Amino acid sequence: MMKTEFVMNMPFMLMLTIGSYLLGLWVKKKSGLALLHPFLISIPVIIMVLKVTDVPCSFYMESNRLIDFMLGPCVVSLGLLLYDHRHIIRRNFLSIMSAVMTGSVVGVASVYILSRLMGLDDIFILSLEPKSVTTPIAMELSESIGGNISLTAVSVVLCGFIGAVSGPLCLQLFRIKSPVAKGLAMGSAAHGLGTARAVEMGAIEGAVSGLAIALMGVMTALILPLFNSILSL
Amino acid sequence: MILKGFFIILLHWVAGNVISALAADFIPGSIIGMLLLLCSLLLGLVKDDDVRPVAGFLTDNMTIFFLPAFMGIMDLWGILKLDLLAWIAVIILSTVMVLISTGIVQQLLERRKNL
């Protein structure tokens, strides 16, 4: 069997994270599928390697603190994304802000109401409320309101897939034809994955969707604590 | 220069943390840091080319930074599997509701402006 001292260490665990991500990127590029998210490859690879080497999952997570730390800088970096799209915001400031605020309120309130109806625990509500927001922001929000960040991360990605897959059909059904509205809807509901789909619809849709990712993050960060303090969650 | 970009990002994060602490942690510091970075860029205090190498790298490769957190779901599987269907149903319904409401509001407001 394999000697554990060669794998039970930080370099190996970091190498596993970066290597599995690179493999995911490579497979995505080769397949040419926009919806083949790299983590669909990375996660099974990490699980498999941990199983084969007999390393506990907790050790893996502990060794990857360095990677976790980068989530903060990731969130701050989104400021540049907002800056790059400042012209679109300036031109449609009021409508974009109102639409994103609506989306954000609907996102938080619908999670609360639906979860209560289906009898889910509070931990589900707290972890799911930020689910329409891009993962690093969602995890920050989840942590600050007392949710489970792992459950949030998985929910965010699931939400992204659902939005990206069902988005074009929903937009058609409700006769949403304006390019700005389409982009905003895709980005607000399904963050990065929705944006990948919006880019295929057109240049305006793609740009607006990218912008909606950051705006939705800010708006939800404002609304979420207000909403929860009113309901004393 | 990579280090300069990284320093600027950390500086805004730290400043965001200070404001967040003053505001009783109402909003996480990193999100305030994002808005502060936007302000600095708009005011010309920071040149976008100074942060772009680092900020671009981070936002382009976001997935890797939550891979470790994703693995935490293994420990949660026990609770999650009991409510698996309800969990998925909430996410599907809520996502579709956000998508439709955002799109409709934006389109309605655009039409009103153009009338």
Side-chain angles (χ1 to χ4, degrees), chain A residues 207-218:
Chain A
V208 176
S209 184
L211 165 74
I213 297 178
L215 284 182
M216 189 71 177
V218 177

Side-chain angles (χ1 to χ4, degrees), chain A residues 21 37 70 76-77 84 95 103 107 110 131 139-140 148 150 155 159 174-178 180 185 218 222, chain B residues 13 27 30 34 37 41 52 58 61 63 65 69 72 76 87 92 94-95 98-100 102 106-107 110 113:
Chain A
Y21 174 68
H37 199 288
M70 296 305 288
V76 178
S77 299
D84 286 339
S95 62
S110 63
K131 63 135 191 28
M139 287 168 67
E140 290 276 353
N148 179 295
S150 295
S155 305
C159 164
F174 285 82
R175 295 197 178 81
I176 297 162
K177 290 184 188 115
S178 130
V180 177
V218 177
L222 287 168
Chain B
W13 190 12
I27 296 178
S30 57
M34 164 171 86
L37 180 62
L41 287 163
R52 198 171 298 279
L58 291 173
N61 293 288
T63 303
F65 303 113
L76 270 175
W87 172 64
I92 292 181
S94 171
T95 303
V98 172
L99 198 125
I100 295 169
T102 310
Q106 171 65 26
Q107 182 158 291
E110 264 173 47
K113 202 171 99 183

Side-chain angles (χ1 to χ4, degrees), chain B:
Chain B
M1 194 178 153
I2 299 283
L3 281 175
K4 191 172 175 188
F6 208 67
F7 175 78
I8 293 171
I9 289 171
L10 288 175
L11 183 74
H12 285 82
W13 190 12
V14 171
N17 283 338
V18 172
I19 296 177
S20 173
L22 291 175
D25 296 321
F26 191 69
I27 296 178
S30 57
I31 296 168
I32 299 177
M34 164 171 86
L35 293 174
L36 290 176
L37 180 62
L38 172 68
C39 294
S40 297
L41 287 163
L42 288 174
L43 294 173
L45 298 173
V46 168
K47 276 193 273 181
D48 60 332
D49 286 336
D50 283 340
V51 275
R52 198 171 298 279
V54 181
F57 162 73
L58 291 173
T59 44
D60 289 347
N61 293 288
M62 236 173 220
T63 303
I64 191 171
F65 303 113
F66 53 84
L67 283 180
F70 240 85
M71 294 297 294
I73 207 68
M74 304 277 279
D75 302 327
L76 270 175
W77 184 242
I79 346 167
L80 192 57
K81 71 175 178 207
L82 301 173
D83 291 311
L84 196 63
L85 282 177
W87 172 64
I88 294 174
V90 170
I91 296 180
I92 292 181
L93 292 172
S94 171
T95 303
V96 170
M97 285 160 80
V98 172
L99 198 125
I100 295 169
S101 60
T102 310
I104 287 180
V105 170
Q106 171 65 26
Q107 182 158 291
L108 278 178
L109 292 173
E110 264 173 47
R111 277 193 190 149
R112 271 182 61 184
K113 202 171 99 183
N114 294 337
L115 279 177

